[in-house]
């Protein structure tokens, strides 16, 4: 029989201890409070759902990517949520199907992935986000991007970079002005993701027509100039997308770095015409992403939506959301009325339960000396 060390957790799962657990809750609250000022109302879906319910709302969600168990009550397969966006979509399409549109929802909670990756080895992550359901217009994109930026800034994040993408651009071009044989579309996507001009050229002249999209990558304004030049060569086929990107970028503050990668698809499997990744200075990899997508209704129709999700664990690990609370040690025999007054003033109090307790060991910075807090 294998004997596991006491307290061992499954790979990719971990405890958050004081003070990081409090910092996590505080950061999530700052984001939720910020989006609430823009009319986003919170929903709290369950951690697990029936597998088929979870997968049917977003077209790219596959059962084999989910952590699944058999429910002993219903004898049906349950799946732990890997993303709360699909759950917000389910709520919008069912319980809030008759609510006025656009519908603004927000959420926060843990999500569990079947597998981790090298950049993020944790399988359980905190996800905080907002969804605007009923519209995927340019105006909706402007709101979502700017609310995401405002929420991060409220959490103390600086050095923000927003990277725009057009997730379904290749499909749109392949079906129109730049036809591709069905058997090479995925290869073209792969080489564009890798920015491998040589491999793209080797796929043939039809694939080589997509080479300018590799150059249309980088700082936003220069990349947009190159994308517009490409658009002119294909007869203005993506005029509306270019106008949309310009409109989304226009109100973003000068202190935010904007970049463009029009063919980036990693992590945008269910987004359609518009997507964006969020990065912060000093952090490896993205800390959030968002964009436009479609929610599948029970009647077979789709409802447009726009949203963003933040994955703030790296921010929490770096100290964001952390504060040094005023902790006050209450010795035996203290005045409980005075202690209550101090709690209302913002102190955290730790009461002694026996003689000889050390308030400093309880991470208290002060002790109640009669009626007054006194520093150690």
């Amino acid at each position: 029989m294998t004997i596991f060390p006491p307290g061992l957790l499954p790979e990719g799962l971990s405890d958050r201890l004081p003070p990081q657990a409090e910092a996590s809750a505080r950061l999530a609250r700052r984001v939720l409070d910020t989006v609430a000022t823009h009319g986003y109302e919170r929903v709290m879906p369950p951690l697990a759902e029936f597998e088929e319910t979870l997968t049917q709302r977003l077209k790219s969600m596959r059962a084999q990517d989910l952590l699944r168990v058999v429910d002993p009550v219903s004898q049906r397969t349950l799946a732990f949520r890997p993303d709360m966006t699909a759950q917000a979509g389910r709520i919008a399409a069912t319980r809030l199907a008759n609510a006025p549109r656009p519908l603004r929802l927000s959420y926060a909670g843990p999500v569990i992935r079947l597998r981790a990756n090298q950049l993020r080895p944790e399988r359980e992550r905190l996800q905080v986000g907002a969804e605007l359901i009923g519209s995927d217009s340019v105006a909706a994109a402007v709101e979502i991007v700017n609310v995401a930026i405002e929420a991060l800034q409220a959490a103390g994040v600086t050095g923000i970079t927003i990277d725009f993408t057009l997730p379904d651009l290749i499909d749109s071009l392949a079906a129109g002005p730049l036809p591709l044989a069905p058997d090479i579309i995925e290869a073209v996507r792969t080489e564009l993701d890798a920015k491998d001009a040589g491999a793209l050229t080797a796929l043939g002249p039809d694939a080589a027509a997509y080479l300018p999209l590799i150059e249309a990558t980088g700082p936003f304004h220069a990349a947009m100039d190159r994308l517009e030049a490409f658009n002119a060569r294909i007869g203005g086929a993506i005029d509306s997308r270019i106008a949309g990107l310009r409109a989304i970028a226009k109100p973003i503050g000068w202190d935010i770095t904007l970049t463009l990668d029009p063919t980036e698809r990693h992590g945008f499997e269910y987004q359609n015409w518009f997507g964006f990744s969020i990065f912060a200075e000093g952090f490896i990899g993205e800390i959030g992403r968002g964009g436009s997508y479609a929610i599948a209704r029970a009647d077979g129709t789709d409802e447009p939506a726009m949203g963003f999700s933040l994955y703030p664990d790296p921010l929490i690990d770096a100290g964001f959301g952390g504060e040094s609370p005023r902790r006050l040690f209450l010795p035996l025999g203290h005045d409980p009325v005075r202690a209550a007054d101090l709690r209302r003033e913002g102190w955290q109090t730790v009461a002694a339960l026996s003689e000889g307790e050390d308030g400093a060991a309880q991470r208290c910075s002060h002790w109640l000396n009669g009626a007054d807090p006194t520093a150690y």
Side-chain angles (χ1 to χ4, degrees):
M1 182 179 67
T2 302
I3 299 176
F4 295 102
L8 180 68
L9 293 173
E11 181 179 351
L13 306 182
S14 62
D15 295 315
R16 279 213 179 274
L17 305 178
Q20 283 189 322
E22 182 62 34
S24 176
R26 187 179 294 114
L27 190 147
R29 172 49 56 192
R30 286 174 180 169
V31 171
L32 291 171
D33 285 349
T34 301
V35 302
T37 64
H38 292 271
Y40 290 80
E41 299 177 289
R42 187 171 181 181
V43 294
M44 297 179 67
L47 181 60
E49 299 189 21
F50 293 123
E51 174 192 313
E52 63 271 20
T53 303
L54 197 57
T55 57
Q56 68 185 5
R57 295 301 170 189
L58 296 181
K59 296 176 182 178
S60 68
M61 188 171 288
R62 305 181 305 170
Q64 58 265 40
D65 296 328
L66 304 176
L67 182 60
R68 295 171 288 174
V69 297
V70 175
D71 178 16
V73 176
S74 66
Q75 294 299 305
R76 295 171 64 186
T77 301
L78 302 183
F80 291 96
R81 63 187 182 205
D83 187 301
M84 296 181 75
T85 305
Q87 294 184 299
R90 172 185 56 77
I91 290 171
T94 55
R95 287 170 171 77
L96 296 178
N98 296 321
R101 266 45 175 179
L103 177 65
R104 291 172 170 85
L105 302 177
S106 65
Y107 50 82
V111 295
I112 298 179
R113 304 292 177 87
L114 181 62
R115 299 178 185 85
N117 58 51
Q118 290 182 338
L119 287 178
R120 298 282 168 80
E122 66 274 9
R123 294 164 60 201
E124 180 182 10
R125 304 177 188 177
L126 174 64
Q127 181 181 357
V128 188
E131 309 297 329
L132 197 164
I133 296 160
S135 175
D136 62 357
S137 66
V138 170
V142 169
E143 177 172 313
I144 281 293
V145 172
N146 283 278
V147 168
I149 292 171
E150 185 179 331
L152 282 170
Q153 290 175 329
V157 181
T158 58
I160 297 171
T161 293
I162 304 293
D163 184 43
F164 292 146
T165 185
L166 301 170
D168 69 352
L169 178 61
I170 305 308
D171 291 337
S172 177
L173 293 175
L178 296 177
L180 290 173
D183 59 336
I184 69 166
I185 291 178
E186 189 57 39
V188 169
R189 290 196 195 103
T190 299
E191 304 311 337
L192 285 170
D193 279 346
K195 306 295 182 284
D196 191 334
L200 191 62
T201 302
L203 292 173
D206 290 342
Y210 288 77
L211 282 170
L213 291 176
I214 295 179
E215 299 176 356
T217 300
F220 181 77
H221 295 291
M224 282 295 292
D225 289 342
R226 292 189 285 270
L227 186 62
E228 287 176 338
F230 168 76
N231 182 47
R233 290 197 291 273
I234 60 173
I238 57 173
D239 281 344
S240 62
R241 292 170 182 263
I242 287 175
L245 288 174
R246 291 285 191 194
I248 296 166
K250 185 176 181 179
I252 296 176
W254 62 268
D255 55 333
I256 305 298
T257 300
L258 297 181
T259 58
L260 174 67
D261 187 346
T263 62
E264 174 63 44
R265 295 189 73 252
H266 177 70
F268 293 97
E269 288 79 11
Y270 63 81
Q271 274 83 12
N272 42 51
W273 79 268
F274 171 67
F276 64 98
S277 298
I278 307 171
F279 301 87
E281 186 177 2
F283 295 91
I284 297 173
E286 63 187 17
I287 59 172
R289 72 169 69 97
S292 61
Y293 60 98
I295 298 170
R297 294 192 182 107
D299 62 4
T301 61
D302 291 339
E303 182 171 21
M306 185 78 66
F308 73 86
S309 293
L310 305 177
Y311 298 92
D313 289 299
L315 300 176
I316 297 161
D317 293 338
F320 286 88
E323 293 179 359
S324 297
R326 298 190 301 167
R327 285 171 66 90
L328 177 68
F329 182 69
L330 305 176
L332 290 178
H334 68 271
D335 181 354
V337 175
R338 178 57 178 153
D341 289 339
L342 290 168
R343 282 192 290 272
R344 283 189 287 270
E345 293 174 14
W347 287 91
Q348 295 180 1
T349 62
V350 179
L353 302 179
S354 62
E355 290 286 354
E357 289 190 29
D358 182 0
Q362 298 286 335
R363 296 184 290 111
C364 293
S365 59
H366 293 69
W367 65 287
L368 186 59
N369 182 11
D372 300 315
T374 301
Y376 275 106

